[in-house]
Amino acid sequence: MKIGSLSISEGAALAPMAGVADTAFRLICKQFGAVYLVGEMVSAKGLMMNERRSAPLLVLTGAEHPAAVQLFGAVPEELEQAAAIAMKYGPDVIDINMGCPVPKVVGGGAGSAIMKTPSLAGELVRAVRRGCGDRVPVTAKIRKGFREENAVEVAKYLEDAGAAMVAVHGRTREQYYQPGADWSVIARVKQALSIPVAGNGDVTDADSFFAMKRQTGCDLVMIGRGAMGNPFVFEEIAARLKGEEPPAVPLKRRMDVMLRHMELIVRHKGEQTGMREARKHAAWYLKGIRGAAELRRQAAQLTTLDDARRLAELALQREKFV
């Protein structure tokens, strides 16, 4: 498929996730087969006021491409200026967040609050296109609606404004992440638009990947929470697309990848900050294994890479003797 003039290989993409999809996580997912990456959202206002503080969220390493940076805000002039700044960091795409449900973002009129004013969604796309000089495609990620469904209406405004792709999460803002995602809304948006549509929500393995493609006709599948502690999902999908069986993921391999992931976090953020952020990732990697509850409690106390190595060894010992 193509996002504007940008070609994307067949496979699954990493969805944007604030506080999760940092450089280390994106690199791990890329190594396991993610075909396209979207970074953490960056406040347009914050970027304008203090570029240096926001810059780490915009940096893309050479190994990550094709990749997008994501901006959020509700004022067209701020998005335009923020897009101009973001271009200095070499993104392949600039994405606009119109789906974040958290009160802090919604309270400022951004994120999924934009869906309450469909015409504003179009204005924001035009503003970002002006800011980037149409040098890269501009996309947007929306939800099913705010309270009631209006994804098709919003998506049409986005397409008319020149968006190169629309990604749809199959829940309203009021639903957050429960109950199950409504894939039918993704299908309705796909049927209504001539530009590519990405689907997002409840894809956790190859079976759900193919089911979403089949049920919605979407051009691209984005995986968010299904990849947390599970970058192997991209490997599984890539293998199945080739008609091959995916490699097994025994606990030893999972722990090795967890440690590799944490080493990347520390490399990019330092051990003190990095290990605080690594704690949640460790808990996700440990999910579902024997003694996981106690191991996750220990994960919440990690302060060094050596702590993480000891935790991985303990998990393997418990698996061996239980």
Side-chain angles (χ1 to χ4, degrees), residues 30 41 65 77 80 87 91 122 128 170 177 183 199 215 257 300 317:
K30 179 73 171 182
M41 65 180 185
H65 297 277
E77 293 76 16
E80 181 176 347
M87 286 299 297
V128 172
Y177 299 103
W183 291 355
Q215 293 177 31
V257 173
Q317 288 298 318

Side-chain angles (χ1 to χ4, degrees), residues 183 201-209 223 225-227 230 233 236-237:
W183 291 355
D202 293 354
V203 174
T204 58
D205 54 22
D207 286 344
S208 50
F209 168 87
I223 302 177
R225 291 178 302 144
N230 183 34
V233 65
E236 178 189 357
I237 290 165

Side-chain angles (χ1 to χ4, degrees), residues 261-321:
H261 186 169
M262 292 185 178
E263 288 164 1
L264 278 171
I265 295 174
V266 169
R267 185 184 307 169
H268 287 279
K269 298 182 179 181
E271 192 165 53
Q272 183 175 9
T273 298
M275 289 311 298
R276 282 199 304 269
E277 297 194 12
R279 293 168 183 170
K280 58 178 178 278
H281 290 281
W284 292 327
Y285 279 103
L286 294 164
K287 185 177 179 181
I289 71 173
R290 292 188 178 98
E294 173 57 30
L295 292 169
R296 286 198 300 271
R297 283 192 285 271
Q298 295 192 37
Q301 305 300 318
L302 295 175
T303 57
T304 68
L305 278 172
D306 283 340
D307 290 342
R309 295 183 184 108
R310 285 189 288 269
L311 179 65
E313 185 59 35
L314 179 58
L316 290 169
Q317 288 298 318
R318 290 193 175 188
E319 183 78 5
K320 181 177 179 180
F321 293 110

Side-chain angles (χ1 to χ4, degrees), residues 53-269:
R53 183 174 179 181
S54 298
L57 297 175
L58 294 169
V59 172
L60 295 170
T61 63
E64 294 178 63
H65 297 277
V69 298
Q70 189 185 64
L71 303 175
F72 77 92
V75 179
E77 293 76 16
E78 292 176 355
L79 265 294
E80 181 176 347
Q81 294 179 53
I85 295 171
M87 286 299 297
K88 296 191 295 185
Y89 296 87
D92 299 299
V93 175
I94 295 182
D95 187 61
I96 309 171
N97 184 303
M98 301 184 185
C100 180
V102 301
K104 182 177 180 180
V105 173
V106 170
S112 55
I114 293 167
M115 298 198 69
K116 295 190 287 186
T117 313
S119 60
L120 175 60
E123 291 178 34
L124 296 178
V125 168
R126 292 187 181 91
V128 172
R129 289 182 62 201
R130 289 193 299 271
C132 70
D134 274 339
R135 286 175 288 165
V136 298
V138 176
T139 63
K141 188 164 188 286
I142 65 175
R143 281 184 168 244
K144 178 179 179 178
F146 192 82
R147 292 188 181 87
E148 305 296 330
E149 180 179 334
N150 70 336
V152 169
E153 180 186 8
V154 173
K156 286 182 176 179
Y157 273 94
L158 296 172
E159 181 178 41
D160 289 345
M165 183 180 77
V166 176
V168 184
H169 181 95
R171 295 180 178 91
T172 66
R173 184 269 175 173
E174 297 297 286
Q175 291 175 311
Y176 273 71
Y177 299 103
Q178 295 292 337
D182 177 8
W183 291 355
S184 69
V185 68
I186 301 169
R188 287 189 284 278
V189 173
K190 173 59 184 172
Q191 291 163 6
L193 302 188
S194 59
I195 58 174
V197 171
N200 176 228
D202 293 354
V203 174
T204 58
D205 54 22
D207 286 344
S208 50
F209 168 87
F210 286 109
M212 176 179 278
K213 292 278 283 187
R214 184 174 60 253
Q215 293 177 31
T216 70
C218 67
D219 302 279
L220 183 67
V221 172
M222 286 188 161
I223 302 177
R225 291 178 302 144
M228 297 190 309
N230 183 34
F232 313 101
V233 65
F234 297 106
E235 180 181 60
E236 178 189 357
I237 290 165
R240 288 275 298 276
L241 283 167
K242 296 175 184 176
E244 302 171 354
E245 282 299 311
V249 190
L251 184 59
K252 175 65 164 64
R253 186 170 183 234
R254 196 195 306 188
M255 292 298 95
D256 287 346
V257 173
M258 179 186 79
L259 293 175
R260 190 197 317 167
H261 186 169
M262 292 185 178
E263 288 164 1
L264 278 171
I265 295 174
V266 169
R267 185 184 307 169
H268 287 279
K269 298 182 179 181

